[in-house]
Amino acid sequence: MERRVAVKNMLFALGATVSASTVLSIFGSCTEDAKTGWVSTFYDPSEIKVVHNLVDIYLPKTSIVGGKDLNLAQFVDMMSESVLDEEKQAEVKLGSKVFIARFEEEFDKNIANGSKEDFEAFIALYMNVPKDKEDKVFQLLDTPDYKLLPKSEQQDYLLYTFLTTVRTYSFLGFYTSEIVEDKIMELT
């Protein structure tokens, strides 16, 4: 399948309203900037550490490349800055702060000292949930104005907004990567 068609189909599947050329441009920039020493422009250093760990958990290296190999943390950073509107950007940033605060409370350590195992265990608390809890999370994320929710639910809304944004852009970057596309074509 032609790469632009694959990108377009992926965007439609995700319900995104961003052009394929934008995604390809950002992805191309990521691979170039990675060689020159990239610095995050949307997430601060502690947040980008979280994004790096999430990318590695969502898309670990297997018989094909993983999210780290494709510099997907950089892709997530650039997509968050370039594609999200200001309101959603603010929610994602607040969600990353909720993630960090809860992580540090759970493990009684600074996020910078968190191991991959810590991150995996923490993500499992929120992403490996029973079907009824999953349904509640999706209902929560469909809330038109999260500020009208009770405080505890606001925090959950923000956390899940951050987690799902990172996951969505990680998978988008992964499945629109030429390297992955070529590998998948080899296997079929």
Side-chain angles (χ1 to χ4, degrees):
M1 180 184 306
E2 185 182 321
R3 191 161 181 238
R4 288 192 184 275
V5 173
V7 171
K8 188 170 90 174
N9 291 341
M10 182 72 160
L11 290 171
F12 283 135
L14 293 171
T17 57
V18 67
S19 73
S21 60
T22 301
V23 174
L24 294 173
S25 171
I26 289 173
F27 198 76
S29 174
C30 291
T31 54
E32 292 167 15
D33 291 346
K35 297 172 188 165
T36 61
W38 165 76
V39 175
S40 172
T41 56
F42 182 73
Y43 295 103
D44 69 32
S46 60
E47 294 166 340
I48 202 63
K49 176 180 175 46
V50 171
V51 172
H52 274 287
N53 279 288
L54 291 175
V55 164
D56 193 35
I57 291 167
Y58 292 149
L59 295 162
K61 185 174 185 165
T62 59
S63 60
I64 59 175
V65 296
K68 277 189 174 180
D69 301 318
L70 296 171
N71 304 311
L72 291 183
Q74 184 178 359
F75 181 78
V76 170
D77 180 72
M78 294 175 78
M79 290 293 288
S80 297
E81 182 175 52
S82 302
V83 175
L84 298 176
D85 63 34
E86 286 183 21
E87 183 179 340
K88 193 53 81 174
Q89 285 180 341
E91 290 174 5
V92 168
K93 291 287 282 182
L94 289 170
S96 68
K97 302 289 186 221
V98 171
F99 181 100
I100 291 168
R102 287 186 180 179
F103 180 95
E104 291 178 347
E105 183 179 316
E106 176 74 22
F107 294 102
D108 195 28
K109 63 171 102 171
N110 186 289
I111 195 104
N113 299 325
S115 68
K116 182 176 181 181
E117 292 77 22
D118 293 337
F119 278 92
E120 288 172 340
F122 190 70
I123 292 302
L125 292 173
Y126 294 96
M127 301 301 268
N128 296 343
V129 295
K131 178 76 171 121
D132 62 324
K133 170 83 174 172
E134 181 181 294
D135 291 341
K136 288 179 183 175
V137 168
F138 285 121
Q139 288 173 354
L140 185 68
L141 289 173
D142 282 341
T143 303
D145 184 358
Y146 83 93
K147 294 174 186 163
L148 300 176
L149 295 167
K151 187 74 170 166
S152 64
E153 289 184 19
Q154 287 182 25
Q155 298 295 302
D156 286 344
Y157 171 90
L158 293 169
L159 175 69
Y160 279 108
T161 296
F162 169 68
L163 290 172
T164 57
T165 298
V166 172
R167 184 176 64 184
T168 298
Y169 289 147
S170 295
F171 280 91
L172 176 63
F174 184 79
Y175 285 109
T176 57
S177 156
E178 273 187 273
I179 295 168
V180 173
E181 183 182 316
D182 291 345
K183 188 68 172 177
I184 290 172
M185 293 304 281
E186 286 175 19
L187 297 173
T188 56

